[in-house]
Amino acid sequence: MGRLGRVLPVSMLAFIVYIVFTGAITVYDVVTGILVSFVIGLVTADITVSNPLKPFDVRRWIYLIFYTLYYFLVAEVRSHIDVIKRILSPRMPINPGIVKIPVRVKSDYSITAVANSITNTPGTVVVEFDESGKYFYVHWIDVKRIDEEGAYKEISHIFEKYVSKVFD
Amino acid sequence: MSSTLRNIVVIVTLTLMVVGLAVVLTVGGFGFSLPPHNVRALATIFLNTTLNLDANYRYVSAMSPEAVTAIVWDYRGLDTLFETSVMFIAIVGALAISRGATEKLLKTSPPVLGMSLITKTITRITIVMILAVGASIALHGHLTPGGGFQGGATIAVVPMLLIIIFSIYLFSKMITIYKAVTLRSVGLIGIALSSFIVLIIAALYGGSAYIFQNQPKLHSHYGLPSYAEPILLGGTLLFFNVFETLAVAFGFAALFILFTIPEDAVKSAIMGEE
């Protein structure tokens, strides 16, 4: 494994992006794509991948697909409906504020995935990440709980549960 | 009173601008201002000659479906060479003014480097994708819009992101100004060689060819392979694009490193001895 194991997943990502961006899959595209992605892999593997075993773990990919489906079909839709109701309501029922929630996932990719999951759902935005204490400061359109544990359960518990299985 | 007058002037000006722009776009878009027929004949000529497999057109065709690249690197290739050299002379000028400034002068790095962990992690993935997109633009320059300069400028986003998001202190350990300038020079030498390559091939076969020749011409039947069914190889256009990418990407990288080295670290080196 070692270095080649780190190069391979990066090269595969580069190859997929190359083919999709080109929009064609002739012999020329495949040959140049393989050459180019191998070089890109060599150059960026040390920056992009730290543990070469993780990208080859099938269970992580299954969890990732499951999490993607859950996130876009359930979590996103739910919070969109919630925010649309608040916008259309003439009373404008908002109770905005910034809460502090703990981060329980470990790796860099997990933290980023959780932060982006929180930000991408309407109504919550991560405004700051405290790297030393591992806290997110989240702006919330309707602050239901202000204690750390309660806010964690409301906002990021479900995201962290899946993300930790994908990236940790 | 005067503020009311100002508001009225602003509103009238903006309205006139929007209406004027809309009129120009609508009228122009519906074909009221197309160029006359005798001018459009030029476009017809280029579209007929840039890629034409017909034997009658063999000695005028550039064998590239992308008319802009065919014109830029074949029909007026010498012009483009000088155009490119303008930019590289500018880079040489920047390097010459700041001679003595290297990343080796960066001594102590500050304790906190770069942006937040989230930004850094996203950048770790996006640089791979940016490199792939840049390479695709460059390598398909003879087939679709794009080419060496565009691909190189896209790839140059990567050093910029790494410097701003991860900090110059880390990036200058990955690639030094010296290495970047060397790779840029490799690209420039490649461009120069590509303009002579058909002449070199012809000389090896005991014939003669033009400088900046791509496809066979009437008095010089040498040329680079341009069409292997069904792939269009583009002849010298592909080489020009590849080397231009290298030169532009690393030229920008060298400049980005140079410009982001803190002034107090290199000031004494740039000033030189009194």
Side-chain angles (χ1 to χ4, degrees):
Chain A
M1 293 304 273
R3 189 170 169 78
L4 193 69
R6 284 209 300 263
V7 170
L8 201 60
V10 180
S11 295
M12 277 158 70
L13 172 66
F15 184 74
I16 291 167
V17 173
Y18 185 91
I19 293 295
V20 169
F21 183 80
T22 304
I25 186 149
T26 64
V27 181
Y28 177 78
D29 303 315
V30 173
V31 171
T32 54
I34 287 170
L35 285 175
V36 161
S37 4
F38 185 66
V39 173
I40 294 173
L42 283 179
V43 173
T44 54
D46 291 337
I47 304 173
T48 306
V49 179
S50 50
N51 184 350
L53 291 174
K54 282 185 188 175
F56 294 107
D57 193 340
V58 179
R59 267 181 310 154
R60 289 175 190 275
W61 284 97
I62 294 169
Y63 274 117
L64 180 64
I65 293 166
F66 188 74
Y67 176 62
T68 312
L69 290 176
Y70 164 79
Y71 181 77
F72 283 107
L73 297 181
V74 180
E76 277 272 318
V77 172
R78 196 188 287 154
S79 50
H80 268 96
I81 290 171
D82 181 64
V83 172
I84 289 169
K85 271 186 200 156
R86 285 173 208 283
I87 294 168
L88 293 180
S89 167
R91 288 181 297 109
M92 198 164 79
I94 58 170
N95 174 28
I98 292 179
V99 292
K100 179 180 179 183
I101 61 169
V103 179
R104 304 254 155 87
V105 288
K106 289 180 206 72
S107 75
D108 292 357
Y109 279 108
S110 314
I111 294 168
T112 307
V114 171
N116 284 355
S117 299
I118 293 172
T119 301
N120 203 41
T121 47
T124 46
V125 176
V126 175
V127 290
E128 175 71 48
F129 171 56
D130 180 355
E131 275 182 58
S132 53
K134 290 229 170 180
Y135 285 105
F136 282 144
Y137 290 90
V138 179
H139 182 272
W140 199 359
I141 198 168
D142 176 38
V143 178
K144 293 196 188 87
R145 307 274 297 268
I146 54 164
D147 57 309
E148 285 176 17
E149 204 53 43
Y152 172 79
K153 280 217 163 56
E154 287 277 340
I155 296 172
S156 72
H157 175 65
I158 189 82
F159 297 147
E160 292 207 347
K161 204 176 92 184
Y162 290 113
V163 165
S164 66
K165 280 176 180 147
V166 179
F167 290 114
D168 264 353
Chain B
M1 191 64 204
S2 70
S3 75
T4 328
L5 194 69
R6 225 182 100 202
N7 283 348
I8 291 171
V9 170
V10 168
I11 289 170
V12 170
T13 319
L14 283 177
T15 316
L16 282 179
M17 266 173 62
V18 170
V19 171
L21 203 63
V23 166
V24 169
L25 286 177
T26 324
V27 174
F30 282 123
F32 289 102
S33 58
L34 275 182
H37 271 279
N38 55 343
V39 177
R40 271 184 280 164
L42 192 63
T44 318
I45 291 171
F46 279 128
L47 289 176
N48 276 336
T49 53
T50 45
L51 174 66
N52 205 323
L53 302 173
D54 193 287
N56 293 329
Y57 283 90
R58 187 71 194 96
Y59 297 124
V60 284
S61 175
M63 300 297 284
S64 163
E66 166 61 2
V68 174
T69 308
I71 294 166
V72 165
W73 276 123
D74 188 337
Y75 294 153
R76 39 153 276 189
L78 198 60
D79 194 25
T80 309
L81 186 74
F82 285 112
E83 212 173 84
T84 306
S85 64
V86 169
M87 189 203 135
F88 290 109
I89 289 168
I91 293 179
V92 168
L95 290 169
I97 288 175
S98 54
R99 75 211 177 285
T102 66
E103 65 293 326
K104 285 185 198 116
L105 296 167
L106 292 172
K107 286 268 157 46
T108 49
S109 67
V112 181
L113 291 171
M115 294 192 182
S116 79
L117 178 101
I118 294 164
T119 329
K120 282 181 185 166
T121 315
I122 294 293
T123 309
R124 283 162 69 180
I125 304 175
T126 45
I127 53 167
V128 178
M129 302 163 85
I130 293 169
L131 286 174
V133 167
S136 173
I137 293 174
L139 287 172
H140 292 80
H142 61 288
L143 300 171
T144 50
F149 193 89
Q150 292 85 336
T154 310
I155 289 173
V157 172
V158 169
M160 193 176 73
L161 284 180
L162 288 175
I163 287 172
I164 293 173
I165 288 166
F166 280 87
S167 127
I168 179 69
Y169 290 92
L170 286 176
F171 183 70
S172 60
K173 290 195 181 74
M174 293 178 209
I175 182 166
T176 61
I177 293 180
Y178 183 77
K179 266 188 203 161
V181 171
T182 311
L183 283 166
R184 183 204 67 132
S185 308
V186 169
L188 288 180
I189 293 166
I191 292 175
L193 278 181
S194 306
S195 58
F196 283 106
I197 187 157
V198 176
L199 182 62
I200 295 170
I201 292 170
L204 289 179
Y205 281 102
S208 179
Y210 301 99
I211 295 171
F212 251 98
Q213 186 176 335
N214 175 13
Q215 295 306 308
K217 296 279 171 275
L218 200 54
H219 301 291
S220 159
H221 292 241
Y222 299 94
L224 283 191
S226 57
Y227 188 64
E229 188 87 43
I231 307 166
L232 280 158
L233 293 168
T236 52
L237 304 180
L238 180 62
F239 291 96
F240 280 126
N241 281 334
V242 169
F243 288 121
E244 174 90 5
T245 310
L246 206 63
V248 169
F250 285 103
F252 274 126
L255 281 194
F256 289 151
I257 302 174
L258 196 62
F259 290 164
T260 46
I261 296 174
E263 194 182 347
D264 50 354
V266 294
K267 192 73 184 170
S268 58
I270 295 177
M271 295 290 280
E273 287 159 26
E274 290 296 323

